[in-house]
Amino acid sequence: MTVMLKKLLIIFTFLIYVVNSSFGQQKLIRQLQNTQSDTARLRLFQQLGDLYQNRRHGKNFPDLDTASSYYLKALALSDRVSDTSKYSKYELLMRLGEIAISRNDVTKGTTYFKQSADHYHQKGIPEFEAKVWERLGTKLNYPTDADLHVPQYYLKAINIYQKLHNIDKVIRLYFAIAINHYYKKNTAGSEKLCLEVISKYKDTKYRNLELLYHQLALINRYNGNLNKALAYSLNGIKRMESTKDSTYAHVMFGEVAQVYQAIGDQNESIYYYKKTIAIRERLNMPQQFIFRTAGFVVQMLVSQNKAAEGLSYIQSLEKKHTPDSDYEAGMIAQAKAYCYDALGKTSMAEKNYLIMMYGLGRDSTDLGAIAHLDIAKFYADHKKFTQAAKYLEKLVPIDAFMSRDKEGLLAKVDSFNNQYVSAIDHFQRYKVINDSIFNIAKTKQIQQLQVEYETENKDKDIKLLKSNNLIQQGKVQQANYVRNVTLAGILLLALFLAFLYKGYRFKQRKNESLNQLITEKDGLLVEKDKLLVEKQWLLKEIHHRVKNNLAIVMGLLNRQSAYIDNEVALAAIKNSQNRMRSIALIHQKLYQSECLDLIQMPEYIEELIGHLKDSFDLGSRIIFEKTIDPIALDVSQAVPIGLIINEAVTNAIKYAFPNNVEGVIYISLIQTGTKQNELRIKDCGPGFNRGINPTKFNSLGMNLMKGLSKQINGRFALEEDNGITIKIVFETEEFVATASSSSKPG
């Protein structure tokens, strides 16, 4: 009855999904029939194409023909609609390219992608061009025997990202190339590339380098080099912890767990597998990744003679995450089969192994190979060598361990069939592979690595204990010295007892006077603390009121603009409002902060840009690339910097990208020296009109930026190179700290 209820629940869930998908499809079609707007029809055509291309549930596979027809209709409209959002012509070309590649028409698909890349290259938007090449490489980067030259597209993206100083992306794409080498059986090339990238960036704080360590660990684990695999996986975790980037923590923990499993350290393996599962559940990742890792946990528990605990664990996980496909059901059945076999319930074990083969047996990845090996082991252990031979015949080993186990099982099968020569041959191969994996040198290296890793975390404790021991020894020596001096001085104390008593009385009177003075001082200190608190509160109130007054002025300007028809006057009012907003934001930051003088520039600039985006209703038309160092400036410098950014960004929006043109504005505030900073605002617009000298260009906004630069003793520069660049170099001013907060000297 319980099984029937589960099946009905799965069917009901699937029907809900199909009904919802059908409802969404019909809703889009009705909207399409009821609109004549080219812009609306373009978006609806693309949404329908996405619906058919991205279907993934059960047997509801992607309908590429229908998706392609909708994309082509949208493409026909794109020339009449100047839409630069995610519905643009060049996004459609990439989606058509993905469909062509899915149909194995790589040439046609690549052509679509190249058209998009050429467009962004001509428009001078390098980041978009890099994303096109990255997306093409990712679409082509899957296990295949075809020589698709995938690395060339990743390398195009890498060259652009290097020029943009996006090294995190560079490392991530080198990892993708290493994966491609591995798919093409070029293990040596994959390992060499990983080592080169690690050598180049290991002394930096760039992210994603742990992925290269993971790839090296995987390669060496599959080749049976467990000492190297353990070293690389542990180094990857150290790298991840040093950069404080846990994006790929579940991948790193999963790999080190598999290495410990191969070594035979069940406790460490279970620990890291469970950490992996916890992270994947928190990230709401696909269930198949959770089930597969849970299967490894069960294997470890069975190896520790805890089969009942393993069965309870997998059954509770199954209730928590109900399998919704034969593939996932096969993973659950595989884990149950391990437990039933260990508990002596042979018929239940066989039943679950057969369910496993139904779900995983046709899988071409390592899961299918593991399934064949598991059921072959089961039949061989129960003397059913004919059935074992049937599954061994289809087993294609994926690593040295599987090759070893297959040879051992074939030796048993041949021995049972009285084929002793073949059995000896298979057994000799088994010994050679096993010895290559677990030779004495490797075993010692593995043990040494484990000891080093475990003791590394204890070194600090040991150093602390040593330090405490030295302190205790010093205290003992000091106590002995005091004791000796005391004994020697007893005689002297007896001689001068009367004199000392008199001195004691005199000192007692002095102490009473001092205690009275101390009491008075404590009272003054308490009063001082109260005054400091009141001063801090008053400063915050002043900043709050200044911000509110500026808000009132902005509101008055907004009301005034409702009675003005002159566009020039309206633009001037809007510019004034934005300038006041940049100043008001300074005072808002000050009264919300514990520090009443310093402005944290990354947070301030982020909010200022957000306000400008909302003010001009940019949407995703203009991308802001920001590189802001953790710089804190005094209010006297932060206000001019905010006004300069406001003026520069406003000018770029109005003059570099008019008429809803898409583009990128680069904003950077970096520390170039001990006290020196550089502010740079650059757009990729058309620049000045021909005949205009940038150095002599005069306008209110330009004069304002120049004057503000002088106010902070900065050097103002205006450059024209594929757009307009405004650069201000200035030094951070230092101020003397008062008792309450940092402020300028009076």
Side-chain angles (χ1 to χ4, degrees):
M1 182 60 71
T2 304
V3 175
M4 181 61 68
L5 287 174
K6 287 184 178 179
K7 290 183 177 178
L8 288 174
L9 180 61
I10 293 171
I11 294 171
F12 180 69
T13 304
F14 175 71
L15 288 175
I16 290 176
Y17 173 83
V18 172
V19 169
N20 287 340
S21 298
S22 177
F23 177 77
Q25 170 191 339
Q26 295 302 322
K27 180 180 178 182
L28 292 174
I29 291 175
R30 284 197 302 272
Q31 291 177 359
L32 188 62
Q33 292 170 345
N34 295 330
T35 183
Q36 299 299 320
S37 167
D38 285 345
T39 300
R41 290 174 66 81
L42 182 149
R43 297 189 177 201
L44 289 168
F45 279 139
Q46 181 167 327
Q47 289 171 7
L48 282 164
D50 292 347
L51 187 146
Y52 282 99
Q53 183 185 8
N54 297 325
R55 296 193 304 184
R56 286 290 184 274
H57 195 280
K59 296 181 179 179
N60 196 19
F61 292 115
D63 185 347
L64 299 182
D65 291 334
T66 305
S68 181
S69 68
Y70 280 120
Y71 288 147
L72 289 171
K73 290 177 182 178
L75 189 63
L77 283 174
S78 65
D79 289 329
R80 300 205 301 265
V81 178
S82 59
D83 194 326
T84 59
S85 67
K86 65 179 181 179
Y87 300 99
S88 69
K89 171 182 179 180
Y90 304 98
E91 175 64 29
L92 288 166
L93 288 173
M94 286 189 282
R95 298 191 186 202
L96 287 168
E98 288 173 337
I99 289 178
I101 293 170
S102 297
R103 290 170 167 166
N104 293 321
D105 191 346
V106 176
T107 302
K108 184 178 180 181
T110 304
T111 301
Y112 279 127
F113 274 95
K114 287 183 177 179
Q115 290 180 40
S116 293
D118 290 342
H119 165 74
Y120 292 122
H121 181 76
Q122 293 169 5
K123 286 289 186 180
I125 310 178
E127 183 168 5
F128 283 18
E129 180 188 355
K131 289 179 179 178
V132 174
W133 295 124
E134 179 183 355
R135 187 166 164 182
L136 174 57
T138 302
K139 182 63 182 177
L140 295 172
N141 196 10
Y142 57 91
T144 175
D145 294 331
D147 186 8
L148 298 177
H149 304 292
V150 172
Q152 67 173 314
Y153 304 116
Y154 282 135
L155 288 172
K156 287 177 180 287
I158 285 172
N159 289 333
I160 297 173
Y161 282 130
Q162 283 178 330
K163 293 177 182 177
L164 296 174
H165 304 292
N166 191 344
I167 306 303
D168 294 338
K169 272 283 190 182
V170 169
I171 296 172
R172 181 68 179 81
L173 292 182
Y174 273 129
F175 169 69
I177 294 175
I179 290 291
N180 182 262
H181 288 329
Y182 188 74
Y183 284 161
K184 299 295 179 59
K185 310 300 182 184
N186 183 12
T187 304
S190 179
E191 186 172 17
K192 180 182 177 183
L193 178 60
C194 291
L195 291 171
E196 289 175 351
V197 177
I198 288 173
S199 176
K200 184 174 182 179
Y201 295 110
K202 67 180 180 180
D203 295 327
T204 69
K205 289 296 182 182
Y206 292 120
R207 296 183 298 172
N208 302 328
L209 200 65
E210 63 269 17
L211 292 173
L212 282 302
Y213 283 109
H214 171 273
Q215 180 67 7
L216 289 170
L218 183 144
I219 290 171
N220 283 278
R221 177 167 58 83
Y222 275 14
N223 290 336
N225 298 320
L226 298 182
N227 53 335
K228 289 186 177 181
L230 181 61
Y232 286 130
S233 59
L234 293 177
N235 283 332
I237 291 176
K238 290 178 185 177
R239 175 72 186 191
M240 179 182 69
E241 292 171 346
S242 69
T243 58
K244 296 180 174 58
D245 179 17
S246 60
T247 305
Y248 301 104
H250 65 99
V251 177
M252 304 306 299
F253 290 145
E255 177 59 31
V256 76
Q258 288 194 293
V259 175
Y260 276 123
Q261 179 179 354
I263 292 171
D265 191 336
Q266 293 97 339
N267 291 328
E268 286 295 310
S269 181
I270 291 173
Y271 171 76
Y272 282 106
Y273 277 137
K274 287 189 174 181
K275 288 188 70 170
T276 303
I277 292 173
I279 294 172
R280 289 175 176 172
E281 287 182 325
R282 187 172 69 249
L283 296 177
N284 197 27
M285 294 182 66
Q287 293 185 148
Q288 64 188 51
F289 299 114
I290 296 172
F291 291 154
R292 184 183 184 188
T293 308
F296 292 136
V297 173
V298 170
Q299 277 185 300
M300 296 298 96
L301 290 172
V302 169
S303 66
Q304 293 180 329
N305 297 319
K306 299 177 181 178
E309 181 182 339
L311 182 61
S312 176
Y313 174 77
I314 198 65
Q315 287 174 336
S316 64
L317 190 69
E318 183 181 18
K319 291 179 182 178
K320 187 177 180 181
H321 303 282
T322 304
D324 60 2
S325 67
D326 293 335
Y327 188 72
E328 293 180 356
M331 293 181 179
I332 293 291
Q334 184 181 36
K336 288 181 179 179
Y338 297 151
C339 300
Y340 284 127
D341 191 21
L343 292 170
K345 299 180 180 181
T346 307
S347 60
M348 288 295 294
E350 183 175 19
K351 177 182 177 181
N352 278 277
Y353 273 127
L354 292 174
I355 295 173
M356 171 196 73
M357 291 305 298
Y358 182 78
L360 306 179
R362 290 164 292 181
D363 189 86
S364 59
T365 66
D366 54 347
L367 282 180
I370 293 170
H372 280 82
L373 180 62
D374 284 344
I375 196 168
K377 281 183 177 179
F378 169 75
Y379 281 126
D381 290 342
H382 293 280
K383 312 301 181 184
K384 296 181 180 181
F385 293 105
T386 302
Q387 290 96 319
K390 179 178 70 172
Y391 292 105
L392 287 172
E393 183 180 351
K394 297 178 181 179
L395 172 60
V396 179
I398 60 171
D399 58 24
F401 297 93
M402 195 170 287
S403 297
R404 177 199 63 185
D405 293 344
K406 181 179 180 179
E407 294 296 335
L409 290 173
L410 286 172
K412 291 181 180 180
V413 171
D414 288 345
S415 178
F416 174 77
N417 293 325
N418 298 322
Q419 297 175 358
Y420 297 113
V421 175
S422 177
I424 292 172
D425 184 48
H426 284 300
F427 183 73
Q428 288 176 339
R429 293 178 190 172
Y430 167 85
K431 289 291 292 179
V432 169
I433 298 172
N434 191 65
D435 290 344
S436 69
I437 295 173
F438 294 107
N439 59 43
I440 296 174
K442 287 185 179 179
T443 302
K444 288 183 178 179
Q445 289 177 353
I446 290 169
Q447 292 173 345
Q448 182 180 355
L449 284 169
Q450 287 179 283
V451 170
E452 288 176 357
Y453 185 71
E454 291 171 358
T455 56
E456 183 176 333
N457 294 327
K458 298 177 182 177
D459 284 344
K460 294 180 181 178
D461 294 336
I462 293 172
K463 290 179 180 178
L464 182 60
L465 288 172
K466 288 182 178 178
S467 177
N468 290 337
N469 186 39
L470 291 174
I471 292 172
Q472 291 296 330
Q473 289 179 0
K475 288 182 178 179
V476 170
Q477 292 176 355
Q478 185 179 8
N480 290 334
Y481 175 77
V482 171
R483 182 193 61 190
N484 294 333
V485 171
T486 302
L487 291 174
I490 287 176
L491 295 176
L492 295 174
L493 289 172
L495 295 174
F496 296 100
L497 183 60
F499 175 79
L500 290 176
Y501 178 75
K502 183 180 179 180
Y504 166 75
R505 292 295 299 162
F506 175 78
K507 185 177 180 181
Q508 191 176 38
R509 290 192 294 271
K510 282 283 188 180
N511 285 340
E512 291 174 356
S513 300
L514 287 173
N515 287 335
Q516 185 176 357
L517 291 173
I518 290 171
T519 302
E520 293 176 0
K521 179 183 177 183
D522 290 341
L524 292 173
L525 289 174
V526 170
E527 186 66 24
K528 177 185 176 184
D529 289 340
K530 289 181 180 179
L531 292 173
L532 288 176
V533 171
E534 290 177 3
K535 177 184 175 183
Q536 191 172 20
W537 180 86
L538 287 172
L539 286 173
K540 286 192 175 185
E541 183 64 21
I542 289 170
H543 287 303
H544 195 181
R545 292 194 181 187
V546 171
K547 181 257 182 184
N548 288 342
N549 290 338
L550 289 172
I552 292 171
V553 175
M554 288 188 284
L556 291 173
L557 288 175
N558 192 42
R559 281 175 167 267
Q560 183 65 38
S561 64
Y563 299 95
I564 296 176
D565 295 330
N566 188 303
E567 293 185 0
V568 175
L570 286 172
I573 288 176
K574 186 174 183 180
N575 288 340
S576 298
Q577 286 178 311
N578 287 337
R579 290 164 185 157
M580 290 184 184
R581 174 63 182 172
S582 67
I583 300 173
L585 188 58
I586 292 284
H587 291 282
Q588 179 179 326
K589 287 291 181 186
L590 287 172
Y591 79 72
Q592 290 178 345
S593 171
E594 291 300 323
C595 180
L596 299 176
D597 297 303
L598 296 180
I599 299 296
Q600 300 299 325
M601 296 308 291
E603 298 175 5
Y604 170 65
I605 292 175
E606 185 69 32
E607 290 193 30
L608 179 58
I609 297 304
H611 164 72
L612 291 174
K613 288 176 67 177
D614 294 340
S615 176
F616 288 95
D617 193 18
L618 299 180
S620 59
R621 175 170 70 87
I622 295 178
I623 295 174
F624 289 87
E625 288 291 339
K626 300 178 286 295
T627 304
I628 312 298
D629 284 352
I631 297 173
L633 297 180
D634 183 79
V635 63
S636 64
Q637 288 189 300
V639 170
I641 290 296
L643 289 171
I644 291 171
I645 294 173
N646 178 79
E647 292 298 320
V649 172
T650 300
N651 288 342
I653 294 171
K654 291 166 62 178
Y655 303 116
F657 311 110
N659 302 322
N660 292 328
V661 173
E662 64 184 14
V664 181
I665 296 176
Y666 302 91
I667 301 173
S668 67
L669 177 59
I670 59 176
Q671 189 172 8
T672 57
T674 304
K675 296 182 180 180
Q676 189 163 320
N677 310 296
E678 179 185 278
L679 172 66
R680 185 186 292 266
I681 303 102
K682 181 184 184 307
D683 62 66
C684 56
F688 289 105
N689 293 330
R690 184 175 298 175
I692 294 179
N693 187 344
T695 60
K696 297 181 179 180
F697 185 73
N698 226 359
S699 70
L700 174 60
M702 196 64 66
N703 289 333
L704 181 59
M705 288 189 283
K706 291 178 180 177
L708 291 167
S709 300
K710 290 181 180 179
Q711 184 176 331
I712 60 174
N713 296 322
R715 300 191 301 276
F716 177 88
L718 181 65
E719 302 171 355
E720 184 178 19
D721 181 17
N722 293 326
I724 301 298
T725 301
I726 292 172
K727 184 174 74 172
I728 294 94
V729 178
F730 66 97
E731 291 186 357
T732 302
E733 296 183 16
E734 294 184 353
F735 303 101
V736 179
T738 64
S740 59
S741 64
S742 297
S743 62
K744 291 183 180 181

